[in-house]
């Protein structure tokens, strides 16, 4: 049972990391785009990220907490619990920086106008994604360490 939970947690964590890594890889070019191009991409490309992303990331957190619960008293437990909290911190960064920017960008489609301070909104979205990715990468590494350390656990 635990091995299946680890397998699915690893898959969901990898998908979470992959989605966030895509945002990091596109950040540098997007920081040089004009407002109209940025607007077109932001309001059309990320529809499925918003649908799939939360399911995948919350699913990975829940499975990692299950790993931690089932691994109490082992080295694997420590890595798993730290992994889960790192994914939670990633969500915190997303809610604090990316979500407000995304909300403002979504408003552009309603008003059909891009505000004068759109650069600051773009920066919050892009750099928020980079910050969230950092926690996701740490979380993934900790999860992998949890799984690898299991081979050395006595329990």
């Amino acid at each position: 049972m635990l091995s299946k939970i680890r397998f699915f947690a690893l898959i969901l964590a990898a998908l979470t990391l992959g989605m966030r890594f895509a945002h990091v890889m596109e950040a540098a070019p997007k920081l040089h785009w004009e407002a109209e191009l940025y607007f077109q991409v932001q309001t059309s490309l990320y529809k499925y990220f918003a649908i799939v992303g939360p399911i995948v990331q919350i699913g990975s957190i829940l499975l990692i907490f299950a790993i931690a619960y089932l691994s109490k008293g082992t080295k694997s437990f420590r890595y798993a619990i730290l992994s889960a909290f790192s994914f939670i911190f990633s969500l915190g960064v997303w809610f604090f920086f990316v979500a407000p920017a995304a909300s403002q960008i979504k408003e552009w489609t309603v008003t059909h106008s891009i505000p004068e301070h759109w650069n600051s909104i773009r920066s919050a979205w892009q750099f928020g994604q980079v910050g969230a990715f950092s926690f996701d990468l740490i979380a993934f590494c900790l999860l992998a360490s949890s799984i690898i350390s299991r081979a050395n656990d006595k329990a």
Side-chain angles (χ1 to χ4, degrees), residues 33-43 108 114 118:
W33 289 355
E34 296 298 321
E36 291 75 24
L37 178 57
Y38 189 80
F39 169 76
Q40 286 180 319
V41 170
Q42 290 298 110
T43 57
W108 300 349
I114 299 170
W118 78 275

Side-chain angles (χ1 to χ4, degrees), residues 1-148:
M1 169 85 161
L2 183 56
S3 62
K4 289 179 184 176
I5 293 172
R6 284 187 168 121
F7 175 80
F8 288 111
L10 195 58
I11 295 297
L12 293 180
L15 291 172
T16 298
L17 184 62
M19 285 188 291
R20 197 82 71 197
F21 187 60
H23 292 311
V24 170
M25 293 299 293
E26 67 196 16
K30 285 172 68 177
L31 289 173
H32 299 288
W33 289 355
E34 296 298 321
E36 291 75 24
L37 178 57
Y38 189 80
F39 169 76
Q40 286 180 319
V41 170
Q42 290 298 110
T43 57
S44 64
L45 186 63
Y46 299 115
K47 177 182 178 183
Y48 296 109
F49 278 73
I51 295 168
V52 175
I55 295 167
V56 170
Q57 188 160 12
I58 292 169
S60 67
I61 292 168
L62 293 174
L63 289 175
I64 295 167
F65 273 125
I67 292 168
Y69 178 78
L70 295 170
S71 301
K72 284 182 185 174
T74 68
K75 190 175 183 181
S76 180
F77 167 82
R78 289 183 296 251
Y79 287 127
I81 203 77
L82 290 171
S83 173
F85 280 111
S86 189
F87 271 127
I88 290 171
F89 290 150
S90 168
L91 282 175
V93 169
W94 189 88
F95 277 112
F96 191 71
F97 294 103
V98 179
S103 177
Q104 290 180 28
I105 292 167
K106 189 175 184 181
E107 191 66 28
W108 300 349
T109 59
V110 175
T111 63
H112 299 291
S113 64
I114 299 170
E116 300 255 342
H117 69 289
W118 78 275
N119 279 323
S120 64
I121 296 168
R122 173 180 64 185
S123 292
W125 196 93
Q126 296 301 145
F127 291 115
Q129 292 288 8
V130 171
F133 168 76
S134 300
F135 282 110
D136 286 345
L137 180 60
I138 292 166
F140 184 82
C141 291
L142 287 164
L143 176 60
S145 296
S146 169
I147 293 168
I148 292 168

